Amino acid sequence: MNDIGAWVWWLVGAAALGIPLVVTAMPEFGMLAVGAVAAAVVSALGFDAVVQVLTFVAVSVALIAVVRPIAARHSRQRPQLATGIDALKGRQAVVTERVDGSGGRIKLAGEIWSARALDTARAYEVGQEVDVVDIEGATAVVI
């Protein structure tokens, strides 16, 4: 063990922390791994074990304290780009076949969709513009 420097053991520890990071997808392991790499650098510069351990703890705790709240905030945000059905909600469409509470057809995003009126007492005639408020299966609900 004397012929292998402490910095090598810190790098082995960093790699070992990378395994549960990949397996569990817990970013905290990655932050601990970065702390171990920082301790390896301090060890390679010739500092003693106490400074190495303090560096590992300080860097790891700092990363967890700073990065975790930022990552949590980003994970709660909705994606900026709506796709699929979500991208169609709120768009305008043109009635191609009379739409009422029991059905009809609209042209939405260049495609013909079956549609029904949200207000069953209301009817929309051919050529009218309507707003899509929801998609239920393959039917657009319009107002």
Side-chain angles (χ1 to χ4, degrees):
M1 186 160 134
N2 289 342
D3 50 2
I4 297 178
W7 65 272
V8 174
W9 290 110
W10 281 111
L11 290 179
V12 169
L17 286 166
I19 294 169
L21 167 67
V22 172
V23 172
T24 64
M26 291 181 60
E28 291 83 359
F29 285 111
M31 296 172 207
L32 293 172
V34 171
V37 170
V41 170
V42 168
S43 174
L45 293 174
F47 289 95
D48 65 355
V50 173
V51 176
Q52 295 170 32
V53 171
L54 288 175
T55 300
F56 169 73
V57 170
V59 170
S60 298
V61 168
L63 284 173
I64 290 171
V66 172
V67 175
R68 272 187 78 205
I70 294 170
R73 193 168 43 246
H74 283 285
S75 70
R76 286 190 298 268
Q77 289 179 346
R78 287 194 59 151
Q80 299 293 330
L81 177 64
T83 60
I85 292 172
D86 291 330
L88 298 175
K89 293 178 184 177
R91 295 199 51 188
Q92 286 194 329
V94 176
V95 176
T96 59
E97 182 181 305
R98 186 174 193 259
V99 175
D100 55 24
S102 62
R105 297 232 180 253
I106 60 171
K107 186 169 188 174
L108 172 62
E111 297 178 346
I112 301 297
W113 280 71
S114 60
R116 71 171 178 78
L118 179 63
D119 180 1
T120 55
R122 184 99 194 252
Y124 303 97
E125 299 302 326
V126 174
Q128 270 188 287
E129 287 191 355
V130 292
D131 293 319
V132 176
V133 293
D134 198 9
I135 304 287
E136 294 177 353
T139 302
V141 180
V142 299
I143 55 172

